[in-house]
Amino acid sequence: MRRYFDGAATVDVDQMLDAWTDDLVYEEAFSDPPRRIEGKDALRPYFSKAGEVFRMSLEITAVHECVDPDELVLEYVSNGEVLTTGRTYANTYIGVYRFRDGRIWQVKEFHNPLITERARSPE
């Protein structure tokens, strides 16, 4: 997890994706419309484009272990800015992470899309 979050902070997409399985599934349940991306080849351009808009760090605030040893629920926050508007970006997230062979296999992430939209919109 640390390698993935550190890669997000430096916009190192290769480092971010190194933590994932090739057949990954990434979901943002509260996006408009909800987003589901399957496979590293599909997630790479999404992370790259996000890196052109956002500069932020992600900090884990709570870890909730699950009955399934390959599942973890994380609470985390982002702190940074939207490069296109210069606005501060700070959001709160809950992520349900599933692992296979020590790598991230599936993520379902929940965050407030209104905070994201406000930070990205011109005044």
Side-chain angles (χ1 to χ4, degrees), residues 3-4 7-8 11 13-14 30 36 40 50 63 65 73-74 79 100 104 108 119:
R3 184 160 173 74
Y4 168 54
V11 194
V13 175
D14 289 331
F30 291 160
R36 180 181 171 96
K40 275 188 182 181
V63 176
E65 294 184 14
V73 176
L74 298 176
N79 294 294
R100 188 174 58 219
I104 302 167
K108 184 175 266 191

Side-chain angles (χ1 to χ4, degrees), residues 54 82 84-89 114-121:
F54 297 96
V82 177
T84 55
T85 64
R87 291 200 179 116
T88 299
Y89 181 69
L114 295 175
I115 291 172
T116 306
E117 255 333 286
R118 286 183 196 129
R120 292 184 68 184
S121 321

Side-chain angles (χ1 to χ4, degrees), residues 22-80:
D22 289 336
D23 63 340
L24 65 87
V25 177
Y26 175 79
E27 296 179 74
E28 289 181 350
F30 291 160
S31 291
D32 186 20
R35 179 174 289 119
R36 180 181 171 96
I37 301 170
E38 297 184 26
K40 275 188 182 181
D41 290 340
L43 191 56
R44 179 179 300 284
Y46 177 73
F47 280 164
S48 294
K49 182 149 177 74
E52 294 170 8
V53 177
F54 297 96
R55 278 296 178 275
M56 65 180 166
S57 62
L58 297 169
E59 178 185 344
I60 297 171
T61 56
V63 176
H64 306 278
E65 294 184 14
C66 299
V67 173
D68 181 342
D70 289 326
E71 186 172 274
L72 199 59
V73 176
L74 298 176
E75 296 178 45
Y76 44 103
V77 296
S78 62
N79 294 294

Side-chain angles (χ1 to χ4, degrees), residues 90-106:
N91 212 331
T92 304
Y93 306 79
I94 293 176
V96 179
Y97 286 76
R98 291 183 176 92
F99 299 87
R100 188 174 58 219
D101 299 326
R103 296 192 182 278
I104 302 167
W105 170 47
Q106 293 182 333

